[in-house]
Amino acid sequence: MMRRAAETGFTLIEMMIALLIFGLLAAAGVALLTFSVRAQSATAARLDDIAAFGRLSSALSADLAQASDRAVRDQDGTPMPGFIGASGSIGAPMLQLVRSGWTNLDDAPRSGQQKVEYRLDGGNLQRIAYPMLDGANPLAPAILLRSVRGIDLRYRIAGAWSDRWEQKPGIALPDAMEMVVTRSDGTRFRSVYVVGTGYALPAEGAPGSAG
């Protein structure tokens, strides 16, 4: 009788139970794998966003710290001050300045100063540089941060905050600038940057000293 039972194999009910257990395990594995992929994608997107904020902060810190009171001319030859600061993303550009310390590694016939702009276009915060200080067309914009709803700027002037920078006699640059970025999902980020702390030019004969 035991040999006959062994030859008959599994019953239909046993096979159905085994298939049910296998299906449950497979479904659990697929769900776990899907969750892992989604978590990895969300983590990568978050890390990219943090890296973008780091690049934005580094660019603004360098530009504002080396801001210079050097008047320029636009493409039409109209004189403009070296530092223009609007209240935020409404202005186009909302920030324009002349920065020192533009390293000239290839000894190109240009100045060591550079005119740069920051503007918000289509939800993208852009940094736009110019090859020359006066009368030149801008270079291709570099996108520093995406998914931006709006930007608010304030300027520290003689111990008080102002929504707009206006040059006054004896005050060529603001002391600091505050930036509040509002993302498309409503989150807000605030940062403060020192303006015009100066820049030490390379020693005579060092690479990039010509300009």
Short mmCIF file of all heavy atoms in Angstrom, two decimals, residues 46-99:
data_model
loop_
_atom_site.label_atom_id
_atom_site.label_comp_id
_atom_site.label_asym_id
_atom_site.label_seq_id
_atom_site.Cartn_x
_atom_site.Cartn_y
_atom_site.Cartn_z
N ARG A 46 16.68 62.89 -5.38
CA ARG A 46 16.92 63.77 -4.23
C ARG A 46 18.39 64.16 -4.16
O ARG A 46 18.73 65.33 -3.89
CB ARG A 46 16.50 63.07 -2.95
CG ARG A 46 16.59 63.95 -1.70
CD ARG A 46 15.72 65.18 -1.82
NE ARG A 46 15.76 65.97 -0.61
CZ ARG A 46 15.25 67.19 -0.52
NH1 ARG A 46 14.66 67.75 -1.58
NH2 ARG A 46 15.32 67.86 0.62
N LEU A 47 19.28 63.22 -4.39
CA LEU A 47 20.71 63.52 -4.37
C LEU A 47 21.09 64.49 -5.49
O LEU A 47 21.91 65.38 -5.29
CB LEU A 47 21.52 62.23 -4.48
CG LEU A 47 21.48 61.29 -3.26
CD1 LEU A 47 22.24 60.01 -3.55
CD2 LEU A 47 22.05 61.99 -2.03
N ASP A 48 20.49 64.32 -6.67
CA ASP A 48 20.73 65.25 -7.77
C ASP A 48 20.26 66.65 -7.41
O ASP A 48 20.91 67.65 -7.74
CB ASP A 48 20.03 64.77 -9.03
CG ASP A 48 20.67 63.52 -9.62
OD1 ASP A 48 21.83 63.24 -9.26
OD2 ASP A 48 20.01 62.84 -10.43
N ASP A 49 19.12 66.73 -6.72
CA ASP A 49 18.59 68.03 -6.32
C ASP A 49 19.51 68.70 -5.29
O ASP A 49 19.77 69.90 -5.37
CB ASP A 49 17.19 67.85 -5.74
CG ASP A 49 16.36 69.12 -5.82
OD1 ASP A 49 16.42 69.80 -6.86
OD2 ASP A 49 15.66 69.44 -4.84
N ILE A 50 20.00 67.91 -4.34
CA ILE A 50 20.93 68.45 -3.35
C ILE A 50 22.22 68.92 -4.02
O ILE A 50 22.76 69.98 -3.69
CB ILE A 50 21.22 67.39 -2.26
CG1 ILE A 50 19.95 67.09 -1.47
CG2 ILE A 50 22.34 67.86 -1.34
CD1 ILE A 50 20.11 65.96 -0.47
N ALA A 51 22.69 68.15 -4.99
CA ALA A 51 23.90 68.54 -5.72
C ALA A 51 23.66 69.82 -6.50
O ALA A 51 24.55 70.68 -6.59
CB ALA A 51 24.33 67.42 -6.66
N ALA A 52 22.46 69.98 -7.08
CA ALA A 52 22.14 71.21 -7.81
C ALA A 52 22.15 72.42 -6.88
O ALA A 52 22.66 73.50 -7.23
CB ALA A 52 20.78 71.08 -8.49
N PHE A 53 21.61 72.27 -5.67
CA PHE A 53 21.66 73.36 -4.70
C PHE A 53 23.10 73.67 -4.32
O PHE A 53 23.46 74.84 -4.11
CB PHE A 53 20.86 73.00 -3.45
CG PHE A 53 19.46 73.53 -3.46
CD1 PHE A 53 18.39 72.71 -3.69
CD2 PHE A 53 19.22 74.88 -3.24
CE1 PHE A 53 17.10 73.19 -3.71
CE2 PHE A 53 17.94 75.38 -3.24
CZ PHE A 53 16.87 74.53 -3.49
N GLY A 54 23.93 72.64 -4.21
CA GLY A 54 25.33 72.88 -3.90
C GLY A 54 26.03 73.67 -4.99
O GLY A 54 26.81 74.59 -4.71
N ARG A 55 25.75 73.32 -6.26
CA ARG A 55 26.35 74.06 -7.37
C ARG A 55 25.85 75.50 -7.40
O ARG A 55 26.63 76.43 -7.66
CB ARG A 55 26.04 73.35 -8.69
CG ARG A 55 26.77 72.03 -8.86
CD ARG A 55 26.62 71.50 -10.27
NE ARG A 55 25.24 71.16 -10.59
CZ ARG A 55 24.71 69.96 -10.40
NH1 ARG A 55 25.44 68.99 -9.87
NH2 ARG A 55 23.45 69.71 -10.73
N LEU A 56 24.56 75.69 -7.16
CA LEU A 56 24.01 77.05 -7.12
C LEU A 56 24.65 77.87 -6.02
O LEU A 56 25.04 79.02 -6.23
CB LEU A 56 22.49 76.99 -6.93
CG LEU A 56 21.78 78.31 -6.65
CD1 LEU A 56 21.97 79.29 -7.81
CD2 LEU A 56 20.30 78.08 -6.36
N SER A 57 24.76 77.29 -4.83
CA SER A 57 25.36 78.00 -3.71
C SER A 57 26.81 78.34 -3.97
O SER A 57 27.27 79.45 -3.67
CB SER A 57 25.23 77.15 -2.44
OG SER A 57 25.80 77.81 -1.33
N SER A 58 27.55 77.40 -4.57
CA SER A 58 28.96 77.66 -4.88
C SER A 58 29.11 78.77 -5.90
O SER A 58 29.96 79.66 -5.76
CB SER A 58 29.62 76.38 -5.39
OG SER A 58 29.61 75.37 -4.40
N ALA A 59 28.28 78.75 -6.96
CA ALA A 59 28.37 79.77 -7.99
C ALA A 59 28.02 81.14 -7.44
O ALA A 59 28.72 82.14 -7.70
CB ALA A 59 27.44 79.41 -9.16
N LEU A 60 26.94 81.23 -6.67
CA LEU A 60 26.54 82.51 -6.10
C LEU A 60 27.57 83.02 -5.09
O LEU A 60 27.88 84.22 -5.06
CB LEU A 60 25.17 82.40 -5.43
CG LEU A 60 23.95 82.71 -6.31
CD1 LEU A 60 22.66 82.40 -5.56
CD2 LEU A 60 23.96 84.16 -6.76
N SER A 61 28.08 82.13 -4.26
CA SER A 61 29.08 82.55 -3.27
C SER A 61 30.32 83.13 -3.95
O SER A 61 30.83 84.17 -3.55
CB SER A 61 29.48 81.35 -2.40
OG SER A 61 28.39 80.89 -1.64
N ALA A 62 30.79 82.44 -5.01
CA ALA A 62 31.97 82.92 -5.71
C ALA A 62 31.71 84.24 -6.43
O ALA A 62 32.52 85.17 -6.37
CB ALA A 62 32.45 81.86 -6.69
N ASP A 63 30.57 84.32 -7.11
CA ASP A 63 30.26 85.54 -7.87
C ASP A 63 30.08 86.74 -6.94
O ASP A 63 30.63 87.82 -7.19
CB ASP A 63 29.00 85.33 -8.70
CG ASP A 63 29.24 84.40 -9.89
OD1 ASP A 63 30.41 84.20 -10.24
OD2 ASP A 63 28.26 83.89 -10.44
N LEU A 64 29.29 86.56 -5.88
CA LEU A 64 28.99 87.70 -4.99
C LEU A 64 30.22 88.10 -4.16
O LEU A 64 30.43 89.27 -3.90
CB LEU A 64 27.82 87.34 -4.08
CG LEU A 64 26.47 87.23 -4.79
CD1 LEU A 64 25.41 86.69 -3.84
CD2 LEU A 64 26.03 88.59 -5.34
N ALA A 65 31.00 87.12 -3.73
CA ALA A 65 32.19 87.44 -2.94
C ALA A 65 33.20 88.25 -3.74
O ALA A 65 33.94 89.06 -3.18
CB ALA A 65 32.83 86.17 -2.40
N GLN A 66 33.22 88.06 -5.05
CA GLN A 66 34.18 88.75 -5.90
C GLN A 66 33.53 89.87 -6.71
O GLN A 66 34.07 90.31 -7.73
CB GLN A 66 34.84 87.73 -6.84
CG GLN A 66 35.56 86.62 -6.10
CD GLN A 66 36.12 85.56 -7.04
OE1 GLN A 66 36.83 85.87 -7.97
NE2 GLN A 66 35.80 84.31 -6.77
N ALA A 67 32.35 90.31 -6.26
CA ALA A 67 31.66 91.40 -6.96
C ALA A 67 32.52 92.66 -6.97
O ALA A 67 33.19 92.98 -5.99
CB ALA A 67 30.32 91.68 -6.30
N SER A 68 32.47 93.36 -8.09
CA SER A 68 33.30 94.55 -8.28
C SER A 68 32.44 95.71 -8.75
O SER A 68 31.47 95.53 -9.49
CB SER A 68 34.41 94.26 -9.31
OG SER A 68 35.13 95.43 -9.61
N ASP A 69 32.79 96.91 -8.32
CA ASP A 69 32.08 98.12 -8.73
C ASP A 69 32.68 98.62 -10.04
O ASP A 69 33.41 99.61 -10.08
CB ASP A 69 32.17 99.18 -7.63
CG ASP A 69 31.44 100.47 -8.02
OD1 ASP A 69 30.50 100.37 -8.83
OD2 ASP A 69 31.82 101.53 -7.53
N ARG A 70 32.34 97.95 -11.12
CA ARG A 70 32.86 98.30 -12.44
C ARG A 70 31.68 98.51 -13.37
O ARG A 70 30.95 97.57 -13.70
CB ARG A 70 33.76 97.19 -12.95
CG ARG A 70 34.74 97.57 -14.06
CD ARG A 70 34.08 97.60 -15.42
NE ARG A 70 35.06 97.61 -16.51
CZ ARG A 70 34.73 97.75 -17.79
NH1 ARG A 70 33.44 97.91 -18.15
NH2 ARG A 70 35.68 97.74 -18.72
N ALA A 71 31.45 99.73 -13.81
CA ALA A 71 30.35 100.01 -14.73
C ALA A 71 30.60 99.34 -16.07
O ALA A 71 31.74 99.17 -16.51
CB ALA A 71 30.20 101.52 -14.92
N VAL A 72 29.51 98.94 -16.75
CA VAL A 72 29.60 98.23 -18.03
C VAL A 72 28.65 98.88 -19.04
O VAL A 72 27.88 99.78 -18.71
CB VAL A 72 29.27 96.73 -17.87
CG1 VAL A 72 30.28 96.04 -16.98
CG2 VAL A 72 27.86 96.56 -17.30
N ARG A 73 28.70 98.36 -20.27
CA ARG A 73 27.78 98.78 -21.32
C ARG A 73 27.11 97.53 -21.89
O ARG A 73 27.76 96.50 -22.06
CB ARG A 73 28.52 99.54 -22.43
CG ARG A 73 29.09 100.88 -21.97
CD ARG A 73 29.81 101.59 -23.11
NE ARG A 73 30.35 102.86 -22.69
CZ ARG A 73 29.69 104.02 -22.73
NH1 ARG A 73 28.44 104.04 -23.20
NH2 ARG A 73 30.25 105.14 -22.31
N ASP A 74 25.81 97.68 -22.21
CA ASP A 74 25.09 96.54 -22.77
C ASP A 74 25.36 96.42 -24.26
O ASP A 74 26.21 97.13 -24.82
CB ASP A 74 23.60 96.64 -22.46
CG ASP A 74 22.96 97.89 -23.07
OD1 ASP A 74 23.62 98.57 -23.90
OD2 ASP A 74 21.80 98.19 -22.73
N GLN A 75 24.61 95.55 -24.95
CA GLN A 75 24.83 95.33 -26.37
C GLN A 75 24.59 96.57 -27.21
O GLN A 75 25.15 96.70 -28.30
CB GLN A 75 23.92 94.18 -26.87
CG GLN A 75 24.27 92.82 -26.30
CD GLN A 75 23.53 92.51 -25.02
OE1 GLN A 75 23.33 93.39 -24.18
NE2 GLN A 75 23.11 91.26 -24.87
N ASP A 76 23.75 97.49 -26.72
CA ASP A 76 23.46 98.73 -27.45
C ASP A 76 24.40 99.87 -27.07
O ASP A 76 24.25 100.98 -27.57
CB ASP A 76 22.02 99.16 -27.20
CG ASP A 76 21.01 98.12 -27.67
OD1 ASP A 76 21.31 97.45 -28.69
OD2 ASP A 76 19.96 97.95 -27.03
N GLY A 77 25.33 99.60 -26.15
CA GLY A 77 26.26 100.63 -25.72
C GLY A 77 25.74 101.50 -24.60
O GLY A 77 26.37 102.50 -24.24
N THR A 78 24.62 101.14 -24.00
CA THR A 78 24.05 101.92 -22.90
C THR A 78 24.81 101.65 -21.61
O THR A 78 24.99 100.49 -21.23
CB THR A 78 22.57 101.56 -22.70
OG1 THR A 78 21.86 101.74 -23.94
CG2 THR A 78 21.94 102.42 -21.62
N PRO A 79 25.27 102.70 -20.91
CA PRO A 79 25.99 102.49 -19.65
C PRO A 79 25.09 101.86 -18.59
O PRO A 79 23.91 102.22 -18.46
CB PRO A 79 26.44 103.90 -19.26
CG PRO A 79 26.36 104.70 -20.51
CD PRO A 79 25.24 104.12 -21.31
N MET A 80 25.66 100.96 -17.81
CA MET A 80 24.92 100.28 -16.75
C MET A 80 25.84 100.14 -15.54
O MET A 80 27.06 100.01 -15.69
CB MET A 80 24.46 98.89 -17.20
CG MET A 80 23.62 98.88 -18.45
SD MET A 80 23.16 97.20 -18.95
CE MET A 80 22.08 96.74 -17.60
N PRO A 81 25.27 100.20 -14.34
CA PRO A 81 26.11 100.00 -13.14
C PRO A 81 26.65 98.59 -13.06
O PRO A 81 26.13 97.65 -13.68
CB PRO A 81 25.14 100.31 -11.99
CG PRO A 81 23.78 100.08 -12.56
CD PRO A 81 23.86 100.43 -14.00
N GLY A 82 27.69 98.42 -12.27
CA GLY A 82 28.31 97.11 -12.15
C GLY A 82 27.51 96.11 -11.35
O GLY A 82 27.75 94.90 -11.47
N PHE A 83 26.55 96.57 -10.54
CA PHE A 83 25.74 95.66 -9.72
C PHE A 83 24.29 96.10 -9.83
O PHE A 83 23.94 97.23 -9.49
CB PHE A 83 26.19 95.69 -8.26
CG PHE A 83 25.61 94.59 -7.42
CD1 PHE A 83 26.34 93.45 -7.14
CD2 PHE A 83 24.32 94.69 -6.90
CE1 PHE A 83 25.80 92.42 -6.35
CE2 PHE A 83 23.78 93.68 -6.12
CZ PHE A 83 24.52 92.54 -5.84
N ILE A 84 23.44 95.21 -10.35
CA ILE A 84 22.00 95.46 -10.48
C ILE A 84 21.27 94.36 -9.74
O ILE A 84 21.45 93.17 -10.04
CB ILE A 84 21.56 95.50 -11.95
CG1 ILE A 84 22.28 96.62 -12.70
CG2 ILE A 84 20.05 95.69 -12.05
CD1 ILE A 84 21.97 96.65 -14.18
N GLY A 85 20.46 94.72 -8.77
CA GLY A 85 19.73 93.73 -7.98
C GLY A 85 18.26 94.06 -7.87
O GLY A 85 17.89 95.10 -7.32
N ALA A 86 17.40 93.21 -8.45
CA ALA A 86 15.96 93.39 -8.36
C ALA A 86 15.45 92.67 -7.11
O ALA A 86 16.22 92.10 -6.33
CB ALA A 86 15.28 92.86 -9.62
N SER A 87 14.13 92.68 -6.93
CA SER A 87 13.54 92.07 -5.75
C SER A 87 13.37 90.56 -5.89
O SER A 87 13.05 89.88 -4.93
CB SER A 87 12.18 92.69 -5.44
OG SER A 87 11.31 92.54 -6.56
N GLY A 88 13.58 90.05 -7.10
CA GLY A 88 13.44 88.61 -7.27
C GLY A 88 13.22 88.23 -8.71
O GLY A 88 13.72 88.87 -9.63
N SER A 89 12.42 87.17 -8.90
CA SER A 89 12.28 86.56 -10.22
C SER A 89 11.48 87.40 -11.20
O SER A 89 11.41 87.07 -12.39
CB SER A 89 11.62 85.19 -10.08
OG SER A 89 10.41 85.28 -9.35
N ILE A 90 10.84 88.49 -10.73
CA ILE A 90 10.07 89.33 -11.65
C ILE A 90 11.02 90.06 -12.60
O ILE A 90 10.72 90.26 -13.77
CB ILE A 90 9.21 90.34 -10.87
CG1 ILE A 90 8.19 89.58 -10.01
CG2 ILE A 90 8.49 91.28 -11.81
CD1 ILE A 90 7.36 90.49 -9.14
N GLY A 91 12.17 90.45 -12.11
CA GLY A 91 13.13 91.17 -12.94
C GLY A 91 13.80 90.28 -13.95
O GLY A 91 13.93 89.08 -13.76
N ALA A 92 14.19 90.86 -15.09
CA ALA A 92 14.89 90.09 -16.12
C ALA A 92 16.07 90.91 -16.61
O ALA A 92 15.91 91.77 -17.46
CB ALA A 92 13.96 89.73 -17.28
N PRO A 93 17.29 90.69 -16.10
CA PRO A 93 17.63 89.68 -15.09
C PRO A 93 17.31 90.18 -13.68
O PRO A 93 17.21 91.38 -13.46
CB PRO A 93 19.13 89.51 -15.28
CG PRO A 93 19.58 90.86 -15.72
CD PRO A 93 18.49 91.40 -16.58
N MET A 94 17.18 89.25 -12.74
CA MET A 94 16.93 89.67 -11.37
C MET A 94 18.21 90.04 -10.66
O MET A 94 18.19 90.73 -9.63
CB MET A 94 16.22 88.55 -10.60
CG MET A 94 16.99 87.26 -10.53
SD MET A 94 16.05 85.99 -9.65
CE MET A 94 17.12 84.57 -9.87
N LEU A 95 19.37 89.59 -11.21
CA LEU A 95 20.66 89.92 -10.62
C LEU A 95 21.69 90.00 -11.72
O LEU A 95 21.79 89.10 -12.56
CB LEU A 95 21.06 88.87 -9.58
CG LEU A 95 22.42 89.07 -8.90
CD1 LEU A 95 22.42 90.33 -8.05
CD2 LEU A 95 22.77 87.85 -8.03
N GLN A 96 22.44 91.10 -11.75
CA GLN A 96 23.54 91.26 -12.70
C GLN A 96 24.71 91.90 -11.98
O GLN A 96 24.53 92.88 -11.25
CB GLN A 96 23.12 92.11 -13.89
CG GLN A 96 24.25 92.36 -14.89
CD GLN A 96 23.80 93.21 -16.07
OE1 GLN A 96 22.96 92.79 -16.85
NE2 GLN A 96 24.35 94.40 -16.17
N LEU A 97 25.90 91.37 -12.18
CA LEU A 97 27.06 91.90 -11.49
C LEU A 97 28.32 91.65 -12.30
O LEU A 97 28.34 90.84 -13.23
CB LEU A 97 27.20 91.27 -10.09
CG LEU A 97 27.32 89.74 -10.03
CD1 LEU A 97 28.78 89.32 -9.97
CD2 LEU A 97 26.58 89.18 -8.83
N VAL A 98 29.36 92.36 -11.93
CA VAL A 98 30.69 92.16 -12.50
C VAL A 98 31.55 91.54 -11.41
O VAL A 98 31.67 92.09 -10.31
CB VAL A 98 31.31 93.47 -12.99
CG1 VAL A 98 32.75 93.26 -13.43
CG2 VAL A 98 30.48 94.04 -14.13
N ARG A 99 32.14 90.40 -11.71
CA ARG A 99 32.95 89.70 -10.74
C ARG A 99 34.41 89.69 -11.18
O ARG A 99 34.72 89.62 -12.38
CB ARG A 99 32.47 88.27 -10.55
CG ARG A 99 32.40 87.45 -11.82
CD ARG A 99 32.45 85.98 -11.54
NE ARG A 99 33.75 85.57 -11.05
CZ ARG A 99 34.03 84.34 -10.63
NH1 ARG A 99 33.10 83.41 -10.62
NH2 ARG A 99 35.24 84.04 -10.22
#
